[in-house]
């Protein structure tokens, strides 16, 4: 979508999801192929799969004992992933009635599992935890093939694979982003320039840029070829998420609102301030055809034209 079109996006729909007694949607994912499907993770311990076209809840995934910290669709298999502050992750597979059930529980961590990231091959999942470790899981066997503990850096707050699958970025409690070689599990580089907890972390699809956002409202863009911070945005309010669109043309931040930037020059394209409370997550659809966001106000919102 060209930026003038994106600048004209408005809220198309708003959907109150999850429990009203424990309000708040903590995270989301848009299905990479079937873009009508959106998964949300709630403070109510459940994940929901929502159909954007029919505006109906397709399934509610109940297993976790604490808030959901990340939700992920598998791009090509009928499998979804959740992580939670209950120290576990889960791999969900469909039952005979096409409803999701827990296929495997991922139990290697001893503190909040803060997030997950899918390897580009679709065969492996990494979970990051506040217990200062990340685990590399084989999805088919649900086996933890490697657990990498770095207690000297404190717990992790975000993990994300590079698009080539060879490196992993993990944000640690000492406010650094640690780059790991996935094959050797060695910490090969670090980028350190934040003064607050990193809550947003994403690689752009061209693989050259890494974006990080923190709870003080600072966004840093890193050139991976030089490991240099080449652009900083200071928003002055806590941020909870950062994402690029698939083409790497746009970047968004989620905090008190959703802000969309053109990556070339980082000009602000649009601010969506429709949520009543902090925005916990936001994602671009394919070709930036729409933007979906979730909030502590318990609403999933869709923006588009």
């Amino acid at each position: 979508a060209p930026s003038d079109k994106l600048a004209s996006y408005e809220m198309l729909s708003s959907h109150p999801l999850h429990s009203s007694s424990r309000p708040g949607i903590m995270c989301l994912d848009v299905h990479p192929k079937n873009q009508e499907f959106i998964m949300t993770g709630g403070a109510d311990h459940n994940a929901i799969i929502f159909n954007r076209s029919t505006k109906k809840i397709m399934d509610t995934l109940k297993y976790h004992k604490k808030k959901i910290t990340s939700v992920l669709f598998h791009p090509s298999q009928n499998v979804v992933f959740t992580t939670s502050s209950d120290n576990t992750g889960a791999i969900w597979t469909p039952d005979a009635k096409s409803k999701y059930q827990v296929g495997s529980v991922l139990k290697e961590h001893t503190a909040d599992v803060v997030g997950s990231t899918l390897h580009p091959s679709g065969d492996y999942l990494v979970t990051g935890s506040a217990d200062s470790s990340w685990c590399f899981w084989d999805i088919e066997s649900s086996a933890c093939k490697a657990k990498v503990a770095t207690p000297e850096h404190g717990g992790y707050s975000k993990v994300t694979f590079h698009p080539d699958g060879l490196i992993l970025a993990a944000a640690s409690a000492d406010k650094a982003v640690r780059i790991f070689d996935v094959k050797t599990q060695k910490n090969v580089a670090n980028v350190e320039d934040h003064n607050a907890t990193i809550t947003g972390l994403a690689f752009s699809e061209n693989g050259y840029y890494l974006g990080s956002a923190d709870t003080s409202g600072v966004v840093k863009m890193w050139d991976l070829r030089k490991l240099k911070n080449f652009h900083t945005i200071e928003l002055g309010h806590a941020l909870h998420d950062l994402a690029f669109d698939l083409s790497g043309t746009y970047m968004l931040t989620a905090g008190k609102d959703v802000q969309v930037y053109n990556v070339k020059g980082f000009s602000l394209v649009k601010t969506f301030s429709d949520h009543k409370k902090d925005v916990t997550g936001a994602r671009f659809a394919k070709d930036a055809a729409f933007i979906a966001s979730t909030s502590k106000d318990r609403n999933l919102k869709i923006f588009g034209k």
Side-chain angles (χ1 to χ4, degrees):
S3 56
D4 55 342
K5 184 178 178 193
L6 216 141
S8 69
Y9 281 10
E10 287 169 4
M11 188 173 80
L12 298 177
S13 60
S14 188
H15 313 281
L17 301 174
H18 296 276
S19 159
S20 51
S21 59
R22 250 199 213 99
I25 307 178
M26 311 315 292
C27 50
L28 82 161
D29 192 29
V30 177
H31 197 291
K33 302 260 170 30
N34 307 324
Q35 302 250 298
E36 66 268 27
F37 296 141
I38 296 173
M39 183 161 43
T40 57
D44 63 358
H45 315 169
N46 299 333
I48 283 175
I49 295 176
F50 182 79
N51 185 318
R52 188 175 59 91
S53 305
T54 62
K55 299 182 169 45
K56 285 192 167 62
I57 290 173
M58 311 282 292
D59 203 353
T60 301
L61 283 57
K62 297 184 176 186
Y63 164 76
H64 290 290
K65 309 287 187 290
K66 289 186 179 175
K67 73 176 183 199
I68 306 290
T69 54
S70 75
V71 290
L72 276 180
F73 285 106
H74 194 286
S76 56
Q77 296 169 27
N78 197 0
V79 178
V80 299
F81 309 94
T82 53
T83 61
S84 166
S85 292
D86 67 6
N87 306 359
T88 71
I91 301 176
W92 302 74
T93 50
D95 63 15
K97 294 180 179 155
S98 293
K99 294 289 184 188
Y100 284 100
Q101 60 187 4
V102 174
S104 310
V105 180
L106 309 177
K107 284 187 166 168
E108 283 289 328
H109 293 293
T110 56
D112 295 33
V113 182
V114 296
S116 58
T117 178
L118 193 61
H119 190 266
S121 66
D123 295 335
Y124 308 105
L125 183 81
V126 160
T127 52
S129 171
D131 69 4
S132 312
S133 76
W134 57 268
C135 286
F136 185 85
W137 304 88
D138 176 84
I139 291 167
E140 199 174 345
S141 65
S142 312
C144 173
K145 295 292 191 187
K147 184 176 184 181
V148 180
T150 54
E152 65 277 16
H153 306 316
Y156 288 103
S157 55
K158 281 280 171 181
V159 287
T160 186
F161 269 115
H162 187 275
D164 69 10
L166 299 176
I167 59 171
L168 174 85
S172 48
D174 56 5
K175 306 176 183 64
V177 179
R178 308 205 165 270
I179 309 284
F180 290 89
D181 178 306
V182 174
K183 267 206 177 89
T184 63
Q185 289 105 48
K186 295 272 189 294
N187 182 184
V188 291
N190 301 310
V191 292
E192 301 167 278
D193 211 6
H194 281 280
N195 296 312
T197 303
I198 297 165
T199 47
L201 193 63
F203 287 103
S204 80
E205 276 308 304
N206 67 12
Y208 296 137
Y209 299 156
L210 173 69
S212 53
D214 71 26
T215 51
S216 72
V218 172
V219 177
K220 299 263 181 198
M221 295 299 299
W222 308 88
D223 186 326
L224 293 168
R225 293 161 292 190
K226 305 174 188 141
L227 288 176
K228 282 224 165 63
N229 169 218
F230 69 91
H231 192 78
T232 300
I233 304 168
E234 296 188 17
L235 292 172
H237 56 79
L239 294 169
H240 308 293
D241 200 10
L242 176 147
F244 291 94
D245 81 306
L246 266 177
S247 69
T249 309
Y250 302 111
M251 177 191 80
L252 62 74
T253 57
K256 78 173 194 322
D257 45 29
V258 178
Q259 297 204 314
V260 179
Y261 295 87
N262 204 323
V263 171
K264 211 177 193 167
F266 294 96
S267 56
L268 179 63
V269 177
K270 181 80 176 185
T271 300
F272 300 102
S273 39
D274 302 74
H275 282 289
K276 304 279 189 290
K277 290 186 177 168
D278 268 24
V279 185
T280 51
R283 292 287 177 270
F284 290 100
K286 211 160 53 185
D287 303 323
F290 67 87
I291 292 165
S293 62
T294 52
S295 163
K296 291 180 180 171
D297 69 9
R298 177 166 104 77
N299 280 280
L300 162 69
K301 291 187 188 288
I302 310 291
F303 303 94
K305 194 69 182 147

